[in-house]
Each structure stands twice: as C-alpha cells, then as structure tokens.
Amino acid sequence: MEAVEYDLMDAAEEAMWWYRAMHARAIAAFRAHPRLGAAKGLPVLDAGCGTGGFLRRAGAALAIPMVGLEYNPQAARRAAEKAGVDVTAGSVNTMPFHDGQFGGLFSLDVLCHAGAEPAQMLAECRRVLAPGGVMVLNLPALPWLRSAHDARVFTVRRYTRATITAELQAAGFTDIRARYWNALLLPLMILQRKVLAARADAPSDVTNFPPWLDACLFAATRIEAGMMRAGLRFPAGGSVIVSATRP
C-alpha cells in the first residue's frame, strides 16, 4: 500500500467501525471453527498484519500467543510496538517460518492484494500451519464492487464464496466455511463506491467518521452478526469471511 494508507490504518484501526467489525468477524469465525483446538498450544500467525491493530485485539480476545508478518518494514515496527509481540518483516509468498510452526493463522484482506500470489501464498499458509491448524481469511467480495479505494490499496482481486472455496480446495484445505458479511450495509457501500466516490481520484474509505455515524454503522454490523449466529446466511455482502483447516 501507499505510505499514506498505512498512516490512515494506523490511526483508524482501533476505533473505526469497519476495523472493529472485521476484527470481530475474524475472531468469531476462528472460535466457531469445528477443528479449533486440534493444534492447541502453538502460536497463531497474523499474515499481513499491517500496523498491528488486529494483532493486539486478537491476542487480548483469544488469550493466545500471537506473531505478526508484514511486508512493509516500517509498518512491521509499528505493529510490534502497538501489539507488543514479535513481528517479522517478510512476504506472505515466502514466509520466513518453519513448517508446522503455527496452530492458527489469520490473514485479513491480504490474499486480494497485488503483492500476493494466491496459489503461492496459500501453499505457504498450509506449510506453516500444523496439522489441524485453523486458518481464517477475510476478503473483499463481489468483483463488480471494485472501486477507487481498491486501486489506492492495491486490491486486485475481489472474491465470491465459490471462488475462494475453490482456491482453498485446490490448496489442500478442508472443513471450509465461507460466508458473506457486511450485507446490511451493502446498499450504502454500492452508493458510496459506484456513485459518491466513483471518480478515480476519490479519497480513501478509511477516514474519521462523525461519532454518531460510526456508531450507527457499527451497530448495523452487530445486528448482522446476531442474525448470522442465529443461522441466517446472506446471499451477498461487501466481504467474505472464510475459515478452513490444514488436514
């Protein structure tokens, strides 16, 4: 990403509704996976950890040792300071870790990035996970939703449930669960991306929202999460959350 996008992320990821909602969905998907605990006792990797907001939040919520990997050395340093854990500067395509080193793995909005080679990255994720280890990915959904913000953060792939499931199966993962989320806000997302901020030089979606608006948007994601826990599956959404196991 551009340096300014790392700065925006660093400033916003603790409080902005989007980050709080994405982090909550990822943690919930990890906890709900049927194989959770099969590789108990090993640390958990955040592959592409950015400036460390999720590292800190997941470590506190799950009470498990976390390790970070981030391509940008300056962002890696920020992440280590923010989360208080070890963060290595390196590529998700050639991870500098041993085989089977981790009992779990998160990677949030990374596989979609221009710098990620999907088949190579997924092979590396499988390699560094111990047998039975659970992986959780969050990805931007629906290719037709590509926007100026995607270009700013070098997102070159948006996924459907079917496409990410097929990629994970080809990479040798099992117990795959893929669900759309950010569905209730999808109409507003379409309006923002395709009408209000459709020009190529539109500013980043990561910004400071008025407190009342941020609270309303986050409340919508909380309502949606409750609906998902009750068994509702949305046919579309702005993102797709995926969990899978290394057999």
Side-chain angles (χ1 to χ4, degrees):
M1 295 191 300
E2 298 173 359
V4 66
E5 290 295 331
Y6 278 110
D7 292 339
L8 290 170
M9 178 195 301
D10 195 13
E13 63 183 345
E14 292 296 311
M16 182 182 167
W17 72 273
W18 161 251
Y19 287 106
R20 288 189 292 149
M22 176 174 62
H23 295 171
R25 294 289 75 70
I27 291 167
F30 188 76
R31 283 173 166 159
H33 195 79
R35 291 294 303 277
L36 185 63
K40 187 176 180 180
L42 294 174
V44 172
L45 175 67
D46 183 2
C49 65
T51 53
F54 180 72
L55 265 178
R56 181 157 74 177
R57 186 165 278 145
L62 298 170
I64 51 178
M66 299 288 297
V67 174
L69 174 68
E70 170 54 42
Y71 182 76
N72 183 290
Q74 291 182 338
R77 284 194 293 272
R78 292 190 206 181
E81 292 171 1
K82 183 181 290 186
V85 302
D86 290 336
V87 178
T88 299
S91 171
V92 293
N93 299 318
T94 52
M95 297 188 192
F97 303 115
H98 300 302
D99 294 1
Q101 185 171 339
F102 300 103
L105 185 151
F106 291 95
S107 191
L108 308 185
D109 288 0
V110 177
L111 188 67
C112 56
H113 194 270
E117 298 292 339
Q120 191 171 342
M121 176 182 167
L122 290 177
E124 282 292 275
C125 290
R126 190 180 188 279
R127 180 184 66 80
V128 301
L129 272 173
V134 172
M135 178 176 72
V136 172
L137 308 177
N138 189 77
L139 295 163
L142 310 177
W144 53 267
L145 263 182
R146 181 166 170 77
S147 68
H149 177 74
D150 289 327
R152 289 180 65 94
V153 298
F154 300 103
T155 291
V156 296
R157 289 172 288 274
R158 300 187 69 92
Y159 285 83
T160 65
R161 289 179 64 246
T163 55
I164 186 56
T165 297
E167 288 192 16
L168 290 176
Q169 288 174 335
F173 287 91
T174 59
D175 303 312
I176 300 167
R177 294 181 164 192
R179 300 174 182 174
Y180 290 113
W181 73 277
N182 206 17
L184 296 184
L185 295 175
L186 183 58
L188 291 180
M189 189 175 178
I190 295 170
L191 176 64
Q192 166 68 13
R193 293 193 162 210
K194 296 302 183 182
V195 180
L196 300 179
R199 67 186 191 279
D201 63 344
S204 174
D205 288 353
V206 178
T207 186
N208 291 319
F209 288 77
W212 67 268
L213 179 56
D214 193 276
C216 289
L217 295 171
F218 185 64
T221 68
R222 292 285 300 273
I223 292 169
E224 179 179 290
M227 297 166 71
M228 293 174 71
R229 286 193 298 271
L232 182 64
R233 298 293 177 264
F234 294 100
S239 295
V240 58
I241 191 83
V242 193
S243 59
T245 304
R246 182 209 161 158

